[in-house]
Amino acid sequence: MSVSFTVSIWLNSETILSVFTDNAEIIGLASLLLFGSLLLESGRAFNLVFISALKAAGDVKFPVQMGILSMWGVGVVMSYVLGIYWGYGVIGAWLAVAMDEWVRGLIMARRWHKQQWVRFTL
C-alpha cells in the first residue's frame, strides 16, 4: 500500500510540488527524492513486517540491537559516504536510509526463516 501511494505521489510530483514552488531545480530534486522513496518505502514495509513478527514471537532484543547497529553502521556511515564523500548530497543520504531499511529487513527475514526466534517463549 505504501509503495502504491508513493508511486501515485511520484507520478503527480510536478503538479503537487508546483503548489509550493515554481523553482524547476527544487521540483526536479524533490521529484528525484520521491522516486527514491520507492526504494525506501518498500524496504521499510519489508523491514517492519519482519521486525513485528519477531517481536510478536518474543524476540525483542535482537531487532532493537540490530536496528541500532544498522542505523549507525549503514545509515549514518553510508549517508556520509554517499552524501558528502562522493558528493551526492541529499540524494545520497536518502539512498543510505533506504539501504539501512533493506539491510535490516533482509537480516530480520534471515533470522525469521532460520527460526532463531523459536527459543523465545511468550
Side-chain angles (χ1 to χ4, degrees):
M1 192 67 185
S2 66
V3 173
S4 299
F5 190 65
T6 303
V7 168
S8 67
I9 290 176
W10 174 65
L11 290 173
N12 296 298
S13 62
E14 288 191 30
T15 305
I16 294 168
L17 294 168
S18 66
V19 170
F20 301 104
T21 185
D22 57 353
N23 186 324
E25 189 174 340
I26 292 174
I27 290 173
L29 179 61
S31 294
L32 192 56
L33 287 171
L34 287 169
F35 181 73
S37 292
L38 294 171
L39 288 171
L40 176 67
E41 291 305 322
S42 59
R44 186 186 322 263
F46 183 72
N47 182 22
L48 289 175
V49 166
F50 280 105
I51 285 178
S52 297
L54 288 168
K55 286 180 179 178
D59 190 2
V60 176
K61 193 174 178 181
F62 180 79
V64 171
Q65 290 172 336
M66 191 51 61
I68 293 168
L69 182 66
S70 179
M71 284 180 221
W72 281 95
V74 177
V76 172
V77 170
M78 291 308 294
S79 287
Y80 173 78
V81 171
L82 292 171
I84 297 172
Y85 188 75
W86 287 349
Y88 290 111
V90 71
I91 301 296
W94 202 241
L95 289 174
V97 171
M99 267 189 238
D100 165 49
E101 293 288 350
W102 274 103
V103 165
R104 273 190 289 153
L106 292 170
I107 290 169
M108 298 306 155
R110 183 173 183 261
R111 185 168 178 89
W112 179 264
H113 289 293
K114 286 187 138 201
Q115 297 187 353
Q116 292 172 311
W117 49 271
V118 172
R119 67 179 187 266
F120 296 99
T121 58
L122 298 176

